[in-house]
Structure formats: structure tokens, C-alpha cells
Amino acid sequence: ITFEKVGDPLSKIGDPTDYTITLTNTSSADTPALTCTVTDAAIGVSETVALASGDPAYVINASAAIPSGASNPYVNTASVTCSVTGFPNVLDASDSHSVDLFEPSFTVTKTGDALAKVGDVVNYTVTLSNTSGPGTPALTCTATDSLLGVIYGPAVLPAGDTVLNPTYTVQAGDPDPLVNTVTLSCSLPSGFTNELADASDSHSVDLFEPSFTVSKTG
């Protein structure tokens, strides 16, 4: 027999990962049919098949999510045992597959002027950080500010820090303090389960109102 297990090369915890297990009976033509049991506990496979010499390969397609706490790389093994009815011969084979696991992560921080008044320009610094682990596919991200609207993307967020310096002119009627929040949303390419939690950060500006009077009588 020949026995092979292949699968997706890249995944992350919680994502479904596809595998293909192939069993081929390469016995001589006069060999009785083999009764084979294929097992793979990691992906929930347990199947028994009768396979004669010359039959097409027996193929199992299975999908299983990468479990929480899985090691990186995530290695799992399929096994097969085959026998011939009435004979003591037992054939064993196994094959393993390794999946590289990546860890997408990102953060956002927002700072700015602490004090301003109506008509002043407030300067902000927004830092978008792609802190993903090695091997992570490109993250497509959008940063949206509750006061300024979209300030980044949608675009691929490079690894490391991307620093933005948006500004805002304080308007009459703005609330005091002037609080706004930036939210960073990112997704992975198609083929991965894009369940990435948004990151956000807020900044507050105290608005002051200078005033003075003078009176003169005589």
C-alpha cells in the first residue's frame, strides 16, 4: 500500500483546515482484497474500506478547525491498517501533515492636544500597529474616526507602526470635553475566517472659553 496525507499549509487557531488522505492498494494482481481502516483522531476520521489490487485510490477529504492551544506548527497524523481475510498479514502505514499557524494582531493608539478653544486647530497623532506574528497574510485595514471620518484605508497595513497626523478645527457648539474615538478594523484574505476584533482608542480635549469685560462711568 501507499498512504499519503496533505493539507493546507497555513492556518490560524479556530479556522477550518482542509486535508486529503489517499490510500492506494499497490499489491500484486493475485493478492486478495485488503480490508483497511483509516483513522485520524485530529480531524475526526475513522473509515473502513475493502480495496482490491488495481482499484482506484481511496480518497478521504476532511476539514477540521485548528484547536485552541495548538502548537505551532500544528502536526497531525493519519494511520491505516490493512489485512487480508484468512491470512495473518497486517500492513501498517502513517503519514503526518504540518500546518504553520499565524497570529494576526493589531492595535491603535490616539493622542493629541490637551487644551483648545473654538477656532483652534487640534493636532492628533494616531498610531496603527500591525503586531501580527511571522507568516501572517497581509491585513487589509480601515481606520475610522468618530470626528474625522475615515483616516486610513481600506489598504494593506504594513508590519510595525503606521503614524497618522490628522487635525480638526474646533467648532462652535462642540461638546466640552471634546472626545473622539478612532476604530481600526482589519480582515484577512479570502480563505480564512475573518473574525478579527476591532481595536479602538479615544482622546479627550478640554475646551476653554476666554472672556473679559470692561466698564467705565463718569
Side-chain angles (χ1 to χ4, degrees), residues 68-109:
S68 176
S71 59
N72 185 21
Y74 179 58
V75 180
N76 49 69
T77 302
S79 301
V80 62
T81 58
C82 298
S83 60
V84 179
T85 302
F87 295 89
N89 312 69
V90 175
L91 301 176
D92 295 311
S94 63
D95 194 25
S96 298
H97 179 70
S98 178
V99 183
D100 286 330
L101 303 183
F102 62 89
E103 298 179 12
S105 64
F106 50 90
T107 63
V108 59
T109 58

Side-chain angles (χ1 to χ4, degrees), residues 5-56:
K5 178 180 182 178
V6 297
D8 294 338
L10 191 66
S11 190
K12 71 181 196 303
I13 288 176
D15 270 12
T17 304
D18 297 325
Y19 301 93
T20 299
I21 299 170
T22 304
L23 171 64
T24 306
N25 186 347
T26 56
S27 305
S28 60
D30 58 351
T31 303
L34 301 177
T35 299
C36 300
T37 299
V38 179
T39 57
D40 191 325
I43 60 176
V45 169
S46 180
E47 298 185 17
T48 299
V49 59
L51 200 62
S53 175
D55 281 353

Side-chain angles (χ1 to χ4, degrees), residues 3-4 17 21 37 52 63 67 72 75 77 79 113-115 122 131 143 145 167 184 186 196 207:
F3 189 65
E4 182 184 38
T17 304
I21 299 170
T37 299
S63 181
N72 185 21
V75 180
T77 302
S79 301
D113 296 337
L115 196 64
V122 179
T131 54
D145 190 279
T167 60
L184 179 62
C186 296
L196 305 179
L207 303 184

Side-chain angles (χ1 to χ4, degrees), residues 156-172:
V156 171
L157 185 63
D161 294 342
T162 297
V163 180
L164 310 175
N165 298 109
T167 60
Y168 175 74
T169 301
V170 179
Q171 306 295 309

Side-chain angles (χ1 to χ4, degrees), residues 189-215:
S190 60
F192 298 98
T193 304
N194 299 335
E195 296 179 356
L196 305 179
D198 293 344
S200 63
D201 194 25
S202 298
H203 179 70
S204 178
V205 182
D206 285 331
L207 303 184
F208 64 91
E209 301 178 14
S211 65
F212 49 87
T213 63
V214 62
S215 65

